[in-house]
Amino acid sequence: MPMKKSQRMALSSTPFYASLAVILTLTLFTATFWAFNEYEVYQQSISNIRNNYQEQYRGRLIEEMQNVNEFIAFKRSQTDMLVENEIRQKVQTAYTIASHIYSQYRDEKSTEELRTMVIEILRPIRWNNNRGNYFAGRVDQQVIDLFADDPFFEGEDRQTVARETDLDVIGDIIGIIREKGAGIYRYNWSKPEYTGGSHRKIAFVKYFKPFDWFIGAGISIDDMENSIQEDVLDQIQKMQFSRDGEVFGFRSDGTIICNRYERLIGRSVKDLTDKDGTPFGLMMWEAGNKNQPEGYISHTETNASSGKAIQRLSYVKAYSDWDWVFVTSINMEEMEQAITDETRTYIHIAFKNAFLFVLLFSVVVLCLLHVAYSYSRKIKHSISLFTNFFRNAADAKVKIEDTDLAFAEFEDLANLANLMIDDRIHKEQLLHRDEQRLDALLRLGLMERHSLQKKYDFILQRIVQITRSEAGYLALVNDDQTHISFCSFFPGSEAASMPEVTESQPVENSGLAGAAILQRQAVINNGSPDRLTETPYPYRTEVRRHLDVPIFSNGRIVVVAGVCNNSSNYDNSDVQQVVRLLEGMWLHVLKVYSEIEMARLERQVIAVSLEERSKIGRDLHDGLGSHLSGVEMLSKVLEKKLEEETPDKAVELGRIRRLIREAIEKTRRLAHGLYPVHIIEQGLEASIEEFIAEIESLYPVQCCLTCHSSGEPLDNNAATHVYYIIRESVFNAARHGKAGNITITLEKDQSRLFVTIEDDGQGITDTAHQKGMGLHIMKYRAKAIKATLSIRPGAEKGTVVSLSGEVQE
């Protein structure tokens, strides 16, 4: 049943009642807890002492064991080097003997006889207590001629030796000779007629060309190993470390082979026991023969001087190469002394702590009352914070700081309230990023006169800005999806931070961009160690996190963009922003390329049109015009004759001559219209004046030309296009507009050109403006000279055609 409002306890009084409960509880349990805790601390302290000393002892034992292994390895490597140098010298000696005999007797004896002489010299030679000997054989025939260690094989070929020994020794030696001319050869020599299994041997072989021989010297490694083992045992038996540290060893069967007590050598390690009867020797033997032959053994030993029992720790490790086991052992007397000292110190500290605890407990009781009052004030302050927060949440974005709150419950409420503010800020950020993206696309549409490179740089800059990144790149992909070209980097001003724009390179070698293409999806890496290097290509700065997004068009990837080092993790919202912005950019790029292609086709159409017009004009002028002129001359001659014979017929022929002259004149005007040679010869202004005379003769119209020109005249190409634009405009005004007056204004200075054709005719209709072929051609010609053409109605009636542009140098 809920309490009445007057019976409810205020939240601010909670600390006071909680303090009373805490005081009573502490009074009841403090003594028990303190005693138990102190005992645990003592036990933990003793345990730490044992662990620390044992770690030190174990480290020392391992270090000494490593010294033993390193000493054995050093002795073996030193002996191996001496053996290699010795057999090299022996082979060089045999090589010198063979060379000397060959140079002395090559003119007197055959090669076979010379081989025999050398063999008889080398056969008896031995060294290293008869362990070393010579051998030789022919390389091409693969036959052994000398084998001092076992003459049984002399004269045998490669197959016989391999069958007898189960080892292709001759083949291996010939391989060394043919590859390097000389070299070391290690092998296991095995002969069925001999007992004892295989024998490890080392040999050095060298090629002697005059005899087609390989000359070699070999020695048994097993014999050398026995000498090394004797020396090693002698040195290890003398090893000591620390105060009572020792090293001893035994074979895998348990026989002790070295020990500081010589009386134990030859006995079995399994028989060793301590004073309590613990068979620590057997444990050492078992540790040395496990699958992992190493371990620690602890046992008790009686100190010879004091008679006290002390702990001894031993480290056992097998040396598998020789089937031996070594043991490093050390006394732990220092650990026992440290434990005794720690116990004495703890008893002294325990009495001291008991007094301090009683004093501190009294102080704490007083402090709790003060804390209760403080917490009451903090609760009131926290409630006030929440009240003010919810009053202002609709208008403000101020969060509640955790440092202003005193209780976890209030922190949870504060987290929920702050999440509400974070969500609002996040949505506002998304809206702002959408606004930035739309603004970027609108600005991109206004960058018509900028190059594609500047557009790429602009879009990449906006991508880096929207994703809150530090750097980025933009790359284009070829149609086959095999190569990539980096076209923009940000920041572009820091030459040391990003690579320069490079030529096309394979996708596999394109770093992060290539990985996004191969995976065919956006790659988000927010710092995963297995997927991130410090400076992945194409970046040259340290990368903490990165985002790489491919854009598809008609099923293939056309562009890749990447950004890195956001202050927070990248997510799918960043991917969506990049995709939408790049898709808009790509549509703009396609539009630009379409316009460029359209302009190219327009220029090509105009060029073809000009060429055809010129061709027709030349044909009319040079072909038909000349032909008509010839006919007119013949008619004139015939007219002269007929004037004397038949005057009536001469009159009729005169009419024909006049028609022919009119045809010649029309042909000339038509040729001039199609083939503007007069522009090149006479200039633009004279050509326009000639055209005005022609148009006034054809139509009832009055034309007026005004020219203001300074600087260099227009080049032939620009003048031709301007002429035809004026010609088409005037013809349209006279033929379709029924104009009575046409004004042509031409103004040109050093940098600009202005042309205006104004008439008082009927004007131009919207249908003719959109569908007229002549108007389209006029616009094409204006684009060809990078000028602007406009057609608008006149102030009162008629049409005004304006052409303006920069003068092309």
Side-chain angles (χ1 to χ4, degrees):
M1 182 176 180
M3 298 176 62
K4 295 182 180 179
K5 185 174 181 179
S6 59
Q7 296 176 336
R8 292 175 181 171
M9 181 177 60
L11 183 60
S12 58
S13 63
T14 301
F16 176 76
Y17 293 106
S19 299
L20 291 178
V22 169
I23 292 172
L24 294 176
T25 303
L26 287 175
T27 304
L28 181 62
F29 293 106
T30 295
T32 303
F33 174 78
W34 178 81
F36 178 80
N37 184 67
E38 288 297 315
Y39 179 75
E40 289 292 328
V41 171
Y42 169 73
Q43 293 294 331
Q44 184 65 35
S45 177
I46 299 300
S47 176
N48 291 337
I49 292 174
R50 291 185 183 276
N51 292 336
N52 290 336
Y53 271 94
Q54 286 185 356
E55 286 295 326
Q56 295 178 11
Y57 290 140
R58 290 185 179 186
R60 184 61 186 277
L61 294 177
I62 292 175
E63 180 182 352
E64 293 301 325
M65 185 65 72
Q66 290 175 348
N67 292 337
V68 172
N69 291 331
E70 290 173 0
F71 173 73
I72 296 174
F74 171 75
K75 293 294 293 183
R76 295 181 73 180
S77 63
Q78 188 179 40
T79 304
D80 201 18
M81 290 174 58
L82 294 174
V83 170
E84 287 187 13
N85 292 333
E86 183 179 18
I87 60 178
R88 286 177 185 269
Q89 294 175 0
K90 296 298 180 182
V91 170
Q92 186 60 40
T93 301
Y95 189 92
T96 303
I97 293 172
S99 299
H100 177 73
I101 292 176
Y102 177 77
S103 62
Q104 291 293 325
Y105 301 104
R106 62 181 175 181
D107 298 330
E108 302 174 6
K109 299 179 181 295
S110 64
T111 303
E112 190 63 31
E113 292 175 339
L114 294 176
R115 288 197 189 107
T116 303
M117 293 177 63
V118 174
I119 289 172
E120 295 306 319
I121 293 174
L122 299 179
R123 186 190 303 278
I125 297 177
R126 297 288 189 277
W127 66 89
N128 203 348
N129 295 326
N130 292 325
R131 295 175 183 142
N133 54 82
Y134 286 108
F135 60 88
R138 283 166 279 175
V139 175
D140 288 342
Q141 298 180 11
Q142 300 183 358
V143 175
I144 295 180
D145 291 332
L146 169 65
F147 200 95
D149 186 40
D150 192 351
F152 168 80
F153 292 101
E154 293 182 359
E156 301 294 339
D157 59 7
R158 174 181 176 180
Q159 289 76 15
T160 303
V161 174
R163 185 172 57 255
E164 292 292 334
T165 63
D166 296 328
L167 180 66
D168 190 11
V169 177
I170 297 178
D172 295 340
I173 292 175
I174 291 174
I176 295 173
I177 293 298
R178 288 177 175 172
E179 180 181 359
K180 298 183 292 186
I184 294 292
Y185 178 47
R186 300 175 185 271
Y187 60 100
N188 292 328
W189 184 251
S190 176
K191 295 181 291 185
E193 64 271 25
Y194 290 167
T195 60
S198 63
H199 304 274
R200 294 182 300 158
K201 304 199 70 173
I202 181 173
F204 181 76
V205 294
K206 188 174 182 180
Y207 182 63
F208 185 66
K209 186 175 181 181
F211 291 172
D212 189 33
W213 257 12
F214 58 85
I215 300 176
I219 189 171
S220 175
I221 298 178
D222 294 336
D223 295 335
M224 301 304 299
E225 290 281 345
N226 294 332
S227 176
I228 296 172
Q229 291 175 359
E230 294 174 359
D231 190 17
V232 167
L233 290 177
D234 183 66
Q235 294 296 327
I236 291 177
Q237 191 165 345
K238 299 175 182 178
M239 284 185 178
Q240 286 187 349
F241 59 93
S242 187
R243 187 169 65 181
D244 291 318
E246 66 167 332
V247 180
F248 69 93
F250 56 89
R251 296 191 180 93
S252 59
D253 61 358
T255 303
I256 299 175
I257 54 178
C258 67
N259 194 287
R260 64 178 176 177
Y261 303 112
E262 294 184 358
R263 58 185 175 81
L264 296 178
I265 298 176
R267 294 178 55 184
S268 177
V269 73
K270 304 175 187 177
D271 299 331
L272 300 179
T273 58
D274 59 11
K275 70 171 188 175
D276 297 328
T278 304
F280 67 90
L282 179 61
M283 291 188 291
M284 291 179 180
W285 178 82
E286 291 175 349
N289 288 275
K290 295 188 299 184
N291 292 333
Q292 295 182 347
E294 63 176 345
Y296 295 95
I297 304 297
S298 179
H299 61 281
T300 304
E301 183 182 77
T302 302
N303 192 316
S305 59
S306 62
K308 295 182 180 179
I310 57 176
Q311 290 289 323
R312 193 170 185 86
L313 183 66
S314 299
Y315 176 59
V316 182
K317 187 172 183 181
Y319 190 78
S320 57
D321 288 353
W322 291 347
D323 203 20
W324 287 1
V325 180
F326 290 104
V327 181
T328 54
S329 180
I330 191 172
N331 285 339
M332 296 190 291
E333 187 175 4
E334 294 178 358
M335 181 183 71
E336 299 296 335
Q337 183 62 38
I339 292 174
T340 302
D341 295 339
E342 180 67 15
T343 302
R344 189 181 301 110
T345 302
Y346 175 77
I347 294 173
H348 173 73
I349 293 174
F351 284 103
K352 183 179 179 181
N353 289 342
F355 173 76
L356 292 176
F357 183 81
V358 173
L359 178 63
L360 291 176
F361 181 79
S362 301
V363 174
V364 169
V365 171
L366 296 176
C367 291
L368 283 175
L369 297 177
H370 176 72
V371 170
Y373 175 76
S374 299
Y375 269 94
S376 297
R377 294 181 60 85
K378 289 181 180 180
I379 292 173
K380 291 181 179 180
H381 176 67
S382 299
I383 294 174
S384 177
L385 284 176
F386 278 100
T387 303
N388 294 331
F389 171 80
F390 285 109
R391 286 197 187 103
N392 301 325
D395 300 322
K397 299 178 183 178
V398 179
K399 296 183 179 181
I400 299 177
E401 298 294 336
D402 293 342
T403 55
D404 296 332
L405 303 174
F407 297 95
E409 290 78 2
F410 287 141
E411 290 180 2
D412 293 338
L413 292 175
N415 291 333
L416 293 174
N418 291 336
L419 284 175
M420 180 181 69
I421 297 297
D422 289 337
D423 184 63
R424 178 181 175 184
I425 295 174
H426 177 68
K427 290 181 179 179
E428 290 180 353
Q429 289 176 347
L430 291 179
L431 181 60
H432 179 64
R433 293 168 68 182
D434 289 337
E435 292 174 351
Q436 288 180 316
R437 173 171 53 81
L438 293 176
D439 178 70
L441 293 176
L442 290 175
R443 290 179 179 271
L444 181 64
L446 298 176
M447 297 173 65
E448 294 182 355
R449 296 185 177 272
H450 292 76
S451 65
L452 282 177
Q453 183 60 51
K454 290 186 177 180
K455 295 177 182 178
Y456 292 149
D457 295 340
F458 170 75
I459 289 298
L460 179 58
Q461 181 181 3
R462 284 306 181 93
I463 290 176
V464 173
Q465 179 183 357
I466 290 174
T467 58
R468 308 172 305 283
S469 303
E470 294 180 1
Y473 66 85
L474 196 64
L476 302 177
V477 185
N478 68 340
D479 293 340
D480 296 334
Q481 310 285 280
T482 58
H483 285 71
I484 188 172
S485 300
F486 290 93
C487 59
S488 181
F489 293 106
F490 182 88
S493 60
E494 299 181 6
S497 63
M498 301 295 292
E500 297 181 357
V501 178
T502 59
E503 298 294 334
S504 176
Q505 56 185 302
V507 170
E508 294 79 3
N509 301 333
S510 302
L512 300 179
I517 295 173
L518 295 176
Q519 297 184 28
R520 298 185 67 81
Q521 62 180 2
V523 177
I524 301 176
N525 188 350
N526 289 314
S528 176
D530 58 342
R531 297 180 57 194
L532 191 63
T533 59
E534 292 185 356
T535 55
Y537 187 82
Y539 298 108
R540 289 184 180 174
T541 57
E542 180 182 356
V543 176
R544 300 182 298 276
R545 55 180 63 88
H546 64 86
L547 169 65
D548 305 276
V549 182
I551 301 301
F552 291 82
S553 177
N554 295 328
R556 65 180 183 87
I557 299 176
V558 294
V559 64
V560 181
V563 289
C564 69
N565 294 345
N566 189 346
S567 58
S568 58
N569 289 340
Y570 292 105
D571 54 25
N572 289 329
S573 65
D574 296 307
V575 175
Q576 293 174 0
Q577 292 291 341
V578 174
V579 169
R580 292 170 183 170
L581 190 54
L582 287 181
E583 286 178 345
M585 183 204 73
W586 185 248
L587 292 176
H588 178 79
V589 170
L590 293 179
K591 175 179 175 293
V592 170
Y593 275 111
S594 298
E595 291 177 350
I596 294 174
E597 181 66 15
M598 181 63 71
R600 185 188 67 80
L601 293 176
E602 290 173 355
R603 290 192 298 270
Q604 186 174 357
V605 168
I606 293 174
V608 172
S609 175
L610 287 175
E611 184 178 354
E612 291 300 322
R613 291 170 66 99
S614 299
K615 181 178 179 182
I616 296 173
R618 287 193 299 269
D619 290 343
L620 288 174
H621 184 273
D622 298 337
L624 182 59
S626 300
H627 184 73
L628 290 175
S629 297
V631 173
E632 194 271 337
M633 291 296 296
L634 292 175
S635 300
K636 183 177 181 181
V637 173
L638 182 59
E639 183 182 5
K640 292 293 185 181
K641 291 180 180 181
L642 291 177
E643 284 178 356
E644 299 176 357
E645 297 177 0
T646 54
D648 295 337
K649 294 182 179 180
V651 174
E652 294 178 359
L653 186 58
R655 296 193 189 99
I656 295 174
R657 279 188 62 199
R658 285 192 299 272
L659 293 175
I660 292 173
R661 283 196 298 270
E662 291 176 1
I664 291 173
E665 181 62 23
K666 291 182 178 181
T667 300
R668 184 186 67 80
R669 290 198 301 268
L670 184 60
H672 281 187
L674 294 174
Y675 178 51
V677 67
H678 54 295
I679 299 176
I680 301 173
E681 297 174 352
Q682 304 171 9
L684 177 61
E685 184 176 350
S687 300
I688 296 174
E689 290 177 349
E690 183 179 347
F691 167 67
I692 289 174
E694 177 185 353
I695 198 68
E696 288 179 346
S697 65
L698 296 176
Y699 298 98
V701 64
Q702 294 294 323
C703 293
C704 178
L705 173 63
T706 303
C707 290
H708 300 286
S709 178
S710 62
E712 296 292 329
L714 292 174
D715 60 75
N716 294 333
N717 180 58
T720 301
H721 286 298
V722 172
Y723 172 79
Y724 279 120
I725 290 172
I726 295 174
R727 184 183 180 91
E728 183 68 24
S729 300
V730 173
F731 266 118
N732 287 338
R735 184 186 301 118
H736 304 295
K738 308 300 182 181
N741 296 283
I742 300 176
T743 302
I744 303 173
T745 304
L746 176 63
E747 297 180 3
K748 186 185 82 66
D749 55 20
Q750 296 288 345
S751 59
R752 299 289 296 177
L753 170 68
F754 300 94
V755 179
T756 304
I757 303 98
E758 187 174 359
D759 65 77
D760 58 357
Q762 298 175 357
I764 187 171
T765 63
D766 293 338
T767 303
H769 193 283
Q770 296 177 0
K771 298 184 178 180
M773 180 60 69
L775 296 181
H776 283 292
I777 295 176
M778 290 168 62
K779 292 180 179 179
Y780 294 161
R781 293 186 183 279
K783 288 184 179 179
I785 60 175
K786 296 183 179 179
T788 301
L789 180 71
S790 65
I791 302 174
R792 66 181 187 276
E796 297 181 358
K797 60 179 180 178
T799 304
V800 179
V801 179
S802 300
L803 178 69
S804 63
E806 296 181 358
V807 175
Q808 302 295 318
E809 297 293 339

